[in-house]
Amino acid sequence: MSKVVIITGGTSGIGLAAAEIFIKNHYRCVLIGRSEQKARVTLDKFNSDQVFYIRADVSNVDDCNRVINETVQQFGAVDVLVNSAGLYSEGAISSVDETEYQRIFNTNVKGTFFMCRAAVEALTKTCGAIVNVASDAGIKGNYFCALYSASKGAVVAFTKSLALELAYIPIRVNCVAPGDVLTPMTEAQLRRSGEKIEDLASVYPLKRIAKAEEIAETIYFLASDKASFVTGTVLSVDGGLTA
């Protein structure tokens, strides 16, 4: 029987690229997102009964629990959870109000935390794996990016702690820490700032930013049996930015 992966933020960007790789490797794939429109486009693209969409907001704890329950009802098990849903924010700390703080932390931190909590029971039955998506900003901090950096730093620390907590089962817990990636979120960031992609690329030792597929391949590796002795790891996929 094919394994089952849940991917939050699975209808665009890194999550969608990860879905393509898992499906290519014969996983049954549950995509989580808030946009029915994006989901319809994605499902039409795959055109497979091995792909299932659940409309949910990971910042809502009830939705996190429902995702796991509906996945088990649909496919019978959960083998992998990929927490790719995330929001970006930049600006001076003086520009951050409580509403913006809650918007970022509710998705990036609360969503990751409670999706993991909801999935533990199902993952225990399969000795499964969790892969969280952090950021270089959670490792080194980024200029005018304190809120986002703090949220991704929390994901890094949470990943390491949860890996220790669940190692006895064993459920492996790892995360990837990308730099800039060519995704719709990055394109929107560039439009807002007026920056060019060449400006972003110039600070990277490899002189380019990542493609979503490159991050997705790393996610798949960490979820796979090829990483069977890897847990509690933060794998930087950033073209040398944090070297």
Side-chain angles (χ1 to χ4, degrees):
M1 183 68 74
S2 299
K3 290 185 176 182
V4 179
V5 58
I6 297 172
I7 304 175
T8 72
T11 58
S12 66
I14 292 170
L16 178 56
E20 292 173 345
I21 291 171
F22 277 100
I23 292 164
K24 183 173 69 176
N25 285 278
H26 312 294
Y27 274 72
R28 291 171 290 170
C29 191
V30 180
L31 305 179
I32 311 304
R34 295 180 297 179
S35 170
E36 294 277 3
Q37 182 179 1
K38 286 183 181 178
R40 283 194 296 271
V41 172
T42 301
L43 293 175
D44 287 345
K45 176 181 180 179
F46 291 126
N47 190 27
S48 170
D49 59 4
Q50 299 301 295
V51 183
F52 186 62
Y53 169 71
I54 300 175
R55 186 178 184 277
D57 181 348
V58 297
S59 69
N60 182 298
V61 176
D62 288 340
D63 276 12
C64 294
N65 295 329
R66 178 172 57 81
V67 163
I68 303 303
N69 292 336
E70 290 188 15
T71 298
V72 172
Q73 289 172 8
Q74 180 73 16
F75 288 136
V78 180
D79 296 277
V80 177
L81 169 64
V82 177
N83 284 303
S84 183
L87 299 175
Y88 181 74
S89 178
E90 61 185 13
I93 191 170
S94 58
S95 70
V96 177
D97 59 18
E98 186 176 7
T99 299
E100 180 67 355
Y101 175 92
Q102 290 175 339
R103 186 180 79 90
I104 296 300
F105 265 73
N106 281 351
T107 294
N108 295 1
V109 183
K110 181 182 176 184
T112 298
F113 184 98
F114 282 100
M115 278 302 305
C116 289
R117 191 189 75 160
V120 165
E121 182 178 352
L123 289 170
T124 296
K125 295 176 182 177
T126 59
C127 293
I130 296 169
V131 184
N132 298 323
V133 177
S135 168
D136 70 286
I139 297 173
K140 67 177 183 63
N142 281 352
Y143 187 68
F144 273 152
C145 208
L147 179 60
Y148 179 75
S149 295
S151 73
K152 290 302 187 177
V155 171
V156 168
F158 170 63
T159 296
K160 289 177 172 289
S161 295
L162 191 63
L164 296 176
E165 181 177 334
L166 301 181
Y168 78 96
I169 293 173
I171 295 172
R172 296 184 303 104
V173 188
N174 294 288
C175 74
V176 295
D180 290 297
V181 184
L182 190 57
T183 65
M185 187 166 71
T186 301
E187 290 169 348
Q189 172 193 343
L190 290 171
R191 284 193 298 271
R192 286 194 301 269
S193 68
E195 224 178 344
K196 296 181 180 179
I197 194 168
E198 292 81 9
D199 299 325
L200 286 182
S202 67
V203 302
Y204 288 84
L206 291 183
K207 297 304 177 187
R208 66 177 179 85
I209 68 172
K211 296 177 287 188
E213 293 79 8
E214 292 173 306
I215 312 305
E217 288 283 6
T218 308
I219 291 170
Y220 180 76
F221 164 73
L222 289 172
S224 75
D225 291 340
K226 290 183 179 180
S228 58
F229 202 58
V230 181
T231 195
T233 289
V234 181
L235 188 48
S236 294
V237 192
D238 62 12
L241 188 65
T242 55

Coordinates of all heavy atoms in Angstrom, one line a residue, residues 42 85 88 94 99 119 132 139 161 164 169-170 174 177 185 188 202:
T42 N -4.9 22.9 -8.8 CA -3.9 21.9 -8.5 C -4.5 20.5 -8.7 O -3.8 19.6 -9.3 CB -3.5 22.0 -7.0 OG1 -2.9 23.3 -6.8 CG2 -2.5 21.0 -6.6
A85 N 2.9 25.4 5.2 CA 2.1 26.6 5.2 C 2.9 27.7 6.0 O 3.4 27.5 7.1 CB 0.8 26.4 5.9
Y88 N 4.8 35.5 5.2 CA 6.0 36.3 5.3 C 5.6 37.8 5.7 O 4.6 38.3 5.4 CB 6.7 36.4 3.9 CG 8.0 37.2 3.9 CD1 9.1 36.7 4.5 CD2 8.0 38.4 3.3 CE1 10.3 37.5 4.5 CE2 9.2 39.2 3.3 CZ 10.3 38.7 3.9 OH 11.5 39.4 3.9
S94 N 8.9 48.9 14.8 CA 7.9 49.9 15.1 C 6.7 49.8 14.3 O 5.6 50.4 14.6 CB 8.6 51.3 15.0 OG 9.1 51.5 13.6
T99 N -2.0 42.8 15.6 CA -2.7 42.0 14.6 C -1.7 41.3 13.6 O -1.9 40.2 13.3 CB -3.6 43.0 13.8 OG1 -4.6 43.5 14.6 CG2 -4.3 42.2 12.6
A119 N -1.1 15.2 14.7 CA -0.6 14.1 13.8 C 0.1 13.0 14.6 O 0.3 11.9 14.1 CB 0.3 14.6 12.7
N132 N 9.4 20.1 8.9 CA 8.9 21.5 9.0 C 9.7 22.4 8.1 O 10.9 22.1 7.8 CB 9.0 22.0 10.4 CG 8.2 21.2 11.4 OD1 7.1 20.7 11.1 ND2 8.7 20.9 12.6
I139 N 17.7 31.2 11.5 CA 19.0 30.8 11.9 C 19.9 32.0 12.2 O 20.6 32.1 13.2 CB 19.7 29.9 10.9 CG1 18.9 28.6 10.7 CG2 21.1 29.6 11.2 CD1 19.3 27.7 9.6
S161 N 13.3 20.2 19.7 CA 12.7 19.7 20.9 C 11.8 18.5 20.6 O 11.8 17.5 21.3 CB 12.0 20.8 21.6 OG 12.9 21.8 22.1
L164 N 13.5 15.2 19.9 CA 13.9 14.5 21.1 C 12.8 13.8 21.8 O 12.8 12.6 22.3 CB 14.6 15.4 22.1 CG 15.9 16.1 21.6 CD1 16.4 17.1 22.6 CD2 17.0 15.0 21.3
I169 N 9.7 6.6 19.7 CA 8.6 5.9 19.0 C 9.1 4.9 17.9 O 8.7 3.8 18.0 CB 7.6 6.9 18.5 CG1 6.9 7.5 19.7 CG2 6.5 6.2 17.6 CD1 6.0 8.7 19.4
P170 N 9.9 5.3 16.9 CA 10.5 6.6 16.7 C 9.7 7.3 15.6 O 9.3 6.7 14.6 CB 11.9 6.3 16.1 CG 11.7 5.0 15.4 CD 10.6 4.2 16.1
N174 N 12.4 16.7 11.5 CA 13.5 17.5 10.9 C 12.9 18.8 10.3 O 11.7 18.9 10.1 CB 14.3 16.8 9.8 CG 15.0 15.6 10.4 OD1 16.0 15.7 11.1 ND2 14.6 14.4 10.1
A177 N 15.7 24.7 6.1 CA 15.8 26.2 6.2 C 16.3 26.8 4.9 O 17.4 27.0 4.7 CB 16.8 26.5 7.4
M185 N 5.1 33.7 -3.2 CA 5.3 34.6 -2.1 C 6.5 35.5 -2.3 O 6.4 36.7 -2.0 CB 5.5 33.8 -0.8 CG 5.5 34.6 0.5 SD 5.3 33.6 2.0 CE 6.9 32.8 2.0
A188 N 5.6 38.2 -4.9 CA 4.8 39.3 -4.3 C 5.7 40.2 -3.5 O 5.5 41.4 -3.5 CB 3.7 38.7 -3.4
S202 N 22.3 38.4 -5.6 CA 23.7 38.9 -5.5 C 24.3 38.5 -4.2 O 25.5 38.5 -4.1 CB 23.7 40.4 -5.7 OG 23.0 41.1 -4.7

